[in-house]
Amino acid sequence: MNIPNHVAVIMDGNGRWAKAKGLPRKMGHVQGGKTVEEMLYAADELGIKYFTVYAFSTENWKRSEDEVSALMNLLRSYLTSGFKKAANNNVRIRIIGDKTGLAPDIQEIIADLEASSAANTGLQFQIAINYGSRDEILRMMRRAANDVKNGVIGPEDIDEAYISAHLDTADIPDPDLLIRTSGEQRLSNFLLWQLAYTEFYFSDKHWPDFDKEELAKAIEAFNKRDRRFGNAK
Ligand code: IPE
Ligand code: IPE
Ligand code: MG
């Protein structure tokens, strides 16, 4: 079995999972958090090297104040306990997205978690928080414009390598497999540049019901694909 090097996940359906059970949406996020922690270890066991999850988009601020604060509190809790534990188990954690838009205490927790796990050589775990691909590209372009303005580079120095190196995912290989749960088949502003040649897999399961078996099924489907990169093999 060919194990994808980098698997990215759009975790969707927490709200629908809760609704189906007559629970408040928040409870779906609580259960979804537990799934993230389980999948982190499952991915590692399967031999996946890079695992990236979409936790909170730049658009998600438009949700109710109540839901946004529940999500932020849940993030606080995972960044200080569950993910911290993973970091102590050789998992390297990186946050992608605009960290400056997060509460100062969350920014501090992130800085600590990233620094303390930077030398870890196990699973490379990326969490997208306040992440939007258009926002990421926009930030990269402003930086490029400044580099040109300041004479650091010329316009001809802006090539694919420059762009890749100045996105939040610098040093992280592009995903081989993207999974979106809960039946929706759209990107919702996730990794537009990085997913150029990625295989997509859509699962009907709501994220809180996603498990190792379902992850293995996605990898099995990935193995049946005839991967191409523009060349007719
Ligand atoms: C995914 O579940 C989690 C986040 C976007 C934070 P949703 O909250 O989007 O769940 P649905 O799509 O409403 O079911
Ligand atoms: C995408 O899910 C964002 C995350 C998984 C964090 P959404 O549920 O927010 O996306 P849309 O609104 O259905 O496109
Ligand atoms: Mg959703």
Side-chain angles (χ1 to χ4, degrees), residues 111-123:
D112 174 57
L113 197 57
E114 288 186 325
S116 68
S117 70
N120 287 352
T121 55
L123 182 77

Side-chain angles (χ1 to χ4, degrees), residues 11-15 17 25-41 51 53-55 70-71 73-79 81-83 125 127 206-210:
M11 313 182 286
D12 201 12
N14 290 354
W17 179 90
R25 291 183 61 85
K26 283 187 225 193
M27 291 312 292
H29 297 313
V30 168
Q31 200 56 41
K34 291 182 186 161
T35 306
V36 178
E37 211 182 339
E38 282 165 24
M39 285 308 102
L40 183 58
Y41 295 105
F51 189 62
V53 297
Y54 201 4
L71 282 164
N73 283 331
L74 208 54
L75 277 168
R76 271 188 187 90
S77 142
Y78 273 95
L79 293 167
S81 65
F83 300 153
F125 180 43
I127 313 166
H206 298 316
W207 178 250
D209 287 329
F210 198 83

Side-chain angles (χ1 to χ4, degrees), residues 170-198:
D171 300 326
I172 296 162
D174 290 340
D176 303 284
L177 173 65
L178 171 84
I179 299 170
R180 182 166 185 151
T181 61
S182 213
E184 244 56 72
Q185 304 194 351
R186 56 176 170 266
L187 284 181
S188 301
N189 205 8
F190 193 46
L191 302 175
L192 303 180
W193 172 271
Q194 298 88 337
L195 296 174
Y197 271 101
T198 303

Side-chain angles (χ1 to χ4, degrees), residues 50-172:
Y50 294 82
F51 189 62
T52 301
V53 297
Y54 201 4
F56 193 91
S57 75
T58 47
E59 288 70 35
N60 286 149
W61 296 107
K62 293 183 196 130
R63 295 189 178 194
S64 75
E65 217 182 295
D66 191 47
E67 185 171 355
V68 169
S69 88
L71 282 164
M72 288 300 145
N73 283 331
L74 208 54
L75 277 168
R76 271 188 187 90
S77 142
Y78 273 95
L79 293 167
T80 47
S81 65
F83 300 153
K84 178 103 194 151
K85 193 175 127 208
N88 290 334
N89 280 295
N90 206 24
V91 172
R92 177 173 182 184
I93 300 177
R94 276 176 279 190
I95 307 305
I96 59 170
D98 184 4
K99 296 170 207 173
T100 65
L102 298 169
D105 71 301
I106 297 183
Q107 290 187 44
E108 255 176 62
I109 300 169
I110 287 172
D112 174 57
L113 197 57
E114 288 186 325
S116 68
S117 70
N120 287 352
T121 55
L123 182 77
Q124 309 279 302
F125 180 43
Q126 289 69 234
I127 313 166
I129 309 176
N130 192 25
Y131 178 87
S133 195
R134 288 183 174 179
D135 175 69
E136 178 191 34
I137 290 169
L138 192 149
R139 286 185 280 111
M140 176 276 298
M141 287 194 68
R142 284 194 178 140
R143 183 156 166 190
N146 266 310
D147 278 355
V148 172
K149 190 175 118 197
N150 297 328
V152 180
I153 55 166
E156 66 283 357
D157 294 317
I158 301 173
D159 53 11
E160 289 195 13
Y162 176 96
I163 293 172
S164 292
H166 291 84
L167 292 173
D168 298 345
T169 48
D171 300 326
I172 296 162

